[in-house]
Amino acid sequence: MAYSDKVLDHYNHPRNVGALDKKDPNVGTGMVGAPECGDVMKLQIKVNPDTGVIEDAKFKTFGCGSAIASSSLATEWLKGKSVDQALAIKNTDIVTELALPPVKIHCSVLAEDAIKAAIDDYKTKSSATAQVGASA
Amino acid sequence: MKFPIYLDNHATTAVDPRVVQAMLPYFTEFFGNAASRNHAFGWGAEEGVEKARKQIADLIGANSKEIIFTSGATESNNLAIKGVAQMYAEKGNHIITAATEHKAVLDTCKHLEKDGFRVTYLPVKGDGSVDLDMLREAITDKTILVSIMYANNEIGLIQPVAEIGKICKEKGVLFHTDGVQAVGKIPVNVIADNIDLMSITAHKLYGPKGVGALYVRRKNPRVQLTAQMDGGGHERGMRSGTLNVPGIVGLGEACAIAQREMPAEMARHRALRDRLHAKLATIEESYVNGGMEHRLPHNLNMSFAYVEGESLLMGINDIAVSSGSACTSATLEPSYVLKALGLGDDLAHTSIRFGIGRFTTEEEIDYVANKMIEVVEKLRELSPLWEMFKDGVDLSKVEWVAH
């Protein structure tokens, strides 16, 4: 199967590879997929609590080239967006940008799921800290 | 070094230039129909075909009259299994094969199941071999055929064919073997191994595509087949159709070369394979799939944990190999052969098959090994599973969000 230039570029030069401190209350971590299915994505965001803007995003992905490219692209798009803007990212946007063939659409779905999971995690953590703050 | 490097010789092989030379006159000078009995064009073609028949027979210890030409091993497997099933249907309706067979055997068996035959798919042991006691127990008075491949196309496992042949002979059951990966690569003898039918294809032993053969035993016992194509009654009535004379000549020449050069070639392949294995075994968390003992000398199949196979192939895109990863298959399922060995889906996704060939050089092996080491390291930097493994997380205990 031939890969698009954009997939190859992300595969050869993945953006924002790495990890953020899971314990930081401003960091949300999403991990989706399973080793048996051949792809696992871990996506992390760091949100500025005052502005609600995503200041940093990191990923690590076990999966095919399209899965790596989808998550790499997702981290690029997340940076500088508000949490609500980030939630508006659709898998079809990733498909279009990377010119993914039909058989690789599930990679983009996984990336969208990872974004949502990271935001969910951040929201759960920040509401927990807010409650702790209120009761103190 | 010429790129890309070809290390996918279980899929197909380049045609040996000597084979091409042998074939060329049969396109133009001796272009006749081998079935034309009344003129020189036909005789010339027939002579080429009969020489090839002898070359193939000699390689496997058979008689020329026992070689039936086909279009390749898929047809040979179909003809052997369906042909026996239909011919001996009155004697019984049970066939035994193994879970790790090629699709051309498995799907043929499935087809026969729809026609009312009963098929036993034997599981395999961790190294990929069939359990001989299980085979013995599976044979009933209704069993007419056992079909077990000589050597496996993914993990290179050489089945205990001589023992299987002996069991089949004792029980009076016909034994077919798909010899595609073995013939011309390792010594194969249909008499010593008690083989009744054997499928062969030219393109796996440096011959052309689109031509193959089926060995059909004529003595002790005389095996009969129901033809699967109707027509002019060529090939002793077992396979109608005008013979592919240049292809057949090519198959014959390929067999003759293989027979002459086999001892030296096996030693050279084994040395290259062991060299590759030694280098790749230095990669942490790498595993050989299948056993090393009864293995084709030119085969290596390894898994590199926490690195997905297709992304690995993408990183070594100047090297032609294949992967057991789901992403590289049409069905999106990881290799059923590796799964039959008891390998988990996670490791099957990370497997790479290397097939060394006649034209592989030591320089190429070293390049491939170094490139593999480099790319595995790079992808592990990207792998959340590798990170978790390094942090001491037991991945089998993680609750994955499967999709």
Side-chain angles (χ1 to χ4, degrees):
Chain A
M1 189 190 321
Y3 298 95
S4 72
D5 290 344
K6 281 185 178 158
V7 169
L8 285 172
D9 183 44
H10 278 281
Y11 174 84
N12 290 320
H13 311 283
R15 332 285 203 258
N16 308 309
V17 177
L20 299 170
D21 180 8
K22 258 186 160 170
K23 296 191 189 92
D24 184 334
N26 298 321
V27 169
T29 303
M31 189 154 74
V32 293
E36 295 78 42
C37 306
D39 32 32
V40 175
M41 278 181 196
K42 189 186 82 166
L43 200 144
Q44 293 183 299
I45 52 169
K46 184 174 185 171
V47 184
N48 182 323
D50 300 327
T51 61
V53 169
I54 297 169
E55 289 185 328
D56 202 2
K58 297 275 186 205
F59 87 97
K60 281 198 178 188
T61 290
F62 162 85
C64 65
S66 303
I68 291 171
S70 296
S71 37
S72 170
L73 175 68
T75 58
E76 261 190 332
W77 280 355
L78 286 170
K79 281 205 227 181
K81 281 199 168 61
S82 72
V83 169
D84 287 340
Q85 285 170 330
L87 280 172
I89 297 173
K90 291 275 165 278
N91 82 291
T92 45
D93 304 334
I94 297 171
V95 171
T96 312
E97 174 67 17
L98 295 176
L100 295 180
V103 64
K104 294 296 183 189
I105 286 173
H106 72 277
C107 299
S108 69
V109 173
L110 205 60
E112 185 187 319
D113 289 351
I115 294 172
K116 296 211 154 71
I119 292 173
D120 272 357
D121 183 54
Y122 164 72
K123 283 185 170 168
T124 313
K125 276 162 89 178
S126 58
S127 64
T129 19
Q131 276 166 10
V132 172
S135 61
Chain B
M1 239 182 321
K2 234 177 80 188
F3 290 98
I5 292 170
Y6 190 72
L7 274 191
D8 204 11
N9 285 284
H10 297 292
T12 192
T13 54
V15 182
D16 190 304
R18 294 168 289 181
V19 170
V20 177
Q21 282 309 315
M23 289 171 70
L24 287 177
Y26 290 88
F27 287 104
T28 48
E29 199 177 339
F30 307 110
F31 63 86
N33 186 329
S36 299
R37 291 288 157 81
N38 58 333
H39 54 64
F41 296 92
W43 302 331
E46 194 190 13
E47 204 174 298
V49 168
E50 293 315 313
K51 184 184 169 195
R53 218 186 280 280
K54 174 121 187 15
Q55 288 169 317
I56 299 158
D58 285 350
L59 176 64
I60 60 170
N63 183 293
S64 288
K65 290 177 180 152
E66 298 174 310
I67 304 299
I68 303 296
F69 289 112
T70 67
S71 63
T74 292
E75 187 191 339
S76 295
N77 286 332
N78 271 267
L79 176 57
I81 298 169
K82 289 177 184 163
V84 163
Q86 289 162 10
M87 178 59 74
Y88 296 88
E90 279 184 14
K91 188 169 170 265
N93 68 341
H94 181 225
I95 295 166
I96 299 171
T97 186
T100 51
E101 293 293 310
H102 192 272
K103 287 285 183 193
V105 167
L106 292 177
D107 286 358
T108 301
C109 288
K110 286 201 186 107
H111 182 110
L112 286 172
E113 280 184 291
K114 284 184 197 144
D115 292 345
F117 287 87
R118 211 165 61 73
V119 180
T120 300
Y121 301 91
L122 292 174
V124 295
K125 298 191 272 190
D127 69 345
S129 62
V130 295
D131 185 318
L132 296 172
D133 290 331
M134 281 181 97
L135 170 64
R136 219 176 264 118
E137 281 161 27
I139 297 175
T140 71
D141 55 356
K142 290 281 178 206
T143 309
I144 48 174
L145 178 71
V146 169
S147 178
I148 306 281
M149 68 196 341
Y150 210 109
N152 184 270
N153 49 307
E154 290 194 35
I155 53 168
L157 172 100
I158 303 165
Q159 293 284 4
V161 171
E163 287 84 348
I164 295 169
K166 195 159 161 267
I167 291 170
C168 291
K169 183 138 186 101
E170 281 166 15
K171 301 263 191 180
V173 174
L174 292 178
F175 175 36
H176 164 252
T177 187
D178 176 350
V180 162
Q181 298 290 340
V183 171
K185 307 297 172 68
I186 56 171
V188 170
N189 186 295
V190 292
I191 303 296
D193 293 341
N194 280 309
I195 294 167
D196 296 312
L197 301 120
M198 180 163 69
S199 304
I200 301 171
T201 192
H203 78 98
K204 309 274 195 198
L205 62 147
Y206 311 98
K209 290 168 186 61
V211 59
L214 180 66
Y215 158 77
V216 184
R217 185 182 275 269
R218 284 186 88 214
K219 263 198 293 198
N220 307 316
R222 181 186 179 86
V223 178
Q224 291 177 288
L225 291 178
T226 301
Q228 301 298 306
M229 269 201 295
D230 298 313
H234 307 74
E235 299 298 276
R236 293 167 47 215
M238 294 192 204
R239 204 277 192 178
S240 288
T242 297
L243 292 180
N244 167 6
V245 178
I248 287 166
V249 167
L251 171 56
E253 186 63 22
C255 287
I257 295 170
Q259 192 171 8
R260 277 200 308 274
E261 301 182 356
M262 190 182 293
E265 188 155 61
M266 279 177 69
R268 201 182 74 86
H269 284 169
R270 179 169 284 122
L272 290 174
R273 191 271 311 276
D274 291 348
R275 188 180 179 92
L276 181 62
H277 175 216
K279 285 172 189 275
L280 296 182
T282 64
I283 298 177
E284 206 183 336
E285 291 296 305
S286 62
Y287 304 92
V288 172
N289 296 317
M292 283 308 277
E293 199 186 341
H294 304 289
R295 195 177 195 115
L296 292 171
H298 58 295
N299 171 278
L300 185 64
N301 188 314
M302 288 180 76
S303 283
F304 304 92
Y306 316 117
V307 175
E308 193 276 325
E310 190 191 332
S311 67
L312 190 50
L313 293 188
M314 213 170 148
I316 54 168
N317 61 358
D318 51 358
I319 303 165
V321 290
S322 71
S323 167
S325 158
C327 284
T328 60
S329 75
T331 56
L332 292 183
E333 281 295 323
S335 155
Y336 66 92
V337 172
L338 297 180
K339 287 175 74 172
L341 302 183
L343 209 66
D345 278 12
D346 49 345
L347 271 182
H349 280 296
T350 69
S351 73
I352 302 284
R353 175 185 73 178
F354 304 92
I356 289 159
R358 184 171 287 166
F359 309 107
T360 307
T361 65
E362 194 173 277
E363 193 188 13
E364 288 177 331
I365 290 292
D366 289 349
Y367 177 87
V368 169
N370 291 335
K371 184 91 180 194
M372 283 291 301
I373 292 168
E374 178 195 316
V375 175
V376 167
E377 193 176 330
K378 180 192 145 173
L379 289 170
R380 280 183 176 167
E381 285 302 307
L382 277 180
S383 169
L385 304 180
W386 179 248
E387 180 184 79
M388 291 164 85
F389 166 73
K390 281 284 161 184
D391 287 346
V393 176
D394 182 351
L395 292 175
S396 66
K397 301 236 159 64
V398 175
E399 273 187 48
W400 300 102
V401 189
H403 57 104

